[in-house]
């Protein structure tokens, strides 16, 4: 079988949050890996494209609308639709699915405690089933 999903190939993602978005294959693993026993590829694309700007807009709005939000994702090859286009760029082969693993959550950012909120404390909302809620029907245990 001819290998046509090579690095630099432009593809369209078919599943997930980025469905319908264009992406470029950075690296592909035809044999799979220990964690992903299926053939998969690392793709990079643009999640949010820049918006239209006009000359009447101020600098702050212009910079906000000119932002580009990229994404990097490991995708099953069956969820890619290859196009006839390719990029003639040198892509790094050092990027693997192991390097894309997220570090443990505790080291990235500490979680807030569930009781704290930005607005301060407020009484808990109840459905009226607790004995202290003053409902008509007393509950016995």
């Amino acid at each position: 079988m001819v290998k046509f999903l090579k690095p630099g190939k432009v593809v369209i993602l078919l599943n997930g949050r980025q469905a319908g978005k264009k992406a470029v294959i950075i690296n592909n693993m035809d044999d799979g890996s220990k964690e992903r026993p299926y053939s998969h590829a690392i793709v990079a694309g643009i999640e949010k494209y820049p918006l239209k700007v006009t000359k009447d807009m101020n600098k702050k709005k212009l910079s906000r609308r000119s932002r580009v939000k990229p994404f990097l994702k490991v995708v099953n090859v069956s969820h890619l639709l290859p196009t006839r286009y390719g990029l003639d760029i040198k892509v790094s082969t050092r990027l693997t699915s192991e390097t894309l693993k997220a570090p443990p959550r505790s080291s990235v950012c500490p979680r807030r405690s569930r009781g704290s909120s930005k607005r301060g404390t407020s009484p808990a909302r109840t459905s009226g089933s607790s004995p202290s809620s003053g409902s008509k029907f007393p509950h016995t245990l």
Side-chain angles (χ1 to χ4, degrees):
M1 186 175 184
V2 178
K3 183 178 172 183
F4 60 93
L5 290 174
K6 298 177 183 175
K9 184 78 166 172
V10 177
V11 294
I12 298 174
L13 298 177
L14 300 176
N15 281 17
R17 179 188 290 179
Q18 286 88 14
K21 301 284 185 184
K22 292 181 277 297
V24 178
I25 295 178
I26 302 297
N27 195 0
N28 64 333
M29 284 63 85
D30 291 331
D31 301 331
S33 64
K34 188 176 181 181
E35 295 167 349
R36 299 173 194 266
Y38 48 88
S39 58
H40 56 280
I42 298 174
V43 296
I46 299 175
E47 187 170 342
K48 186 177 177 187
Y49 293 93
L51 300 171
K52 182 182 175 183
V53 295
T54 60
K55 61 181 179 180
D56 297 337
M57 294 180 185
N58 59 15
K59 288 182 181 179
K60 182 179 177 183
K61 190 168 188 176
L62 193 127
S63 68
R64 204 176 323 127
R65 293 176 69 95
S66 299
R67 288 188 186 144
V68 177
K69 185 177 180 184
F71 67 88
L72 197 64
K73 190 173 182 180
V74 180
V75 183
N76 190 338
V77 172
S78 63
H79 299 154
L80 298 176
L81 179 71
T83 64
R84 63 180 180 172
Y85 301 104
L87 297 177
D88 297 331
I89 58 171
K90 176 92 171 137
V91 291
S92 175
T93 57
R94 285 188 275 169
L95 190 63
T96 61
S97 56
E98 286 80 31
T99 59
L100 290 179
K101 286 183 185 176
R105 188 175 179 100
S106 62
S107 66
V108 175
C109 61
R111 287 185 119 179
R112 286 190 318 170
S113 63
R114 292 189 184 255
S116 65
S117 67
K118 293 180 182 177
R119 289 189 253 161
T121 58
S122 61
R125 291 185 174 181
T126 60
S127 61
S129 61
S130 66
S132 62
S133 65
S135 65
K136 294 182 199 178
F137 306 106
H139 297 287
T140 59
L141 297 174

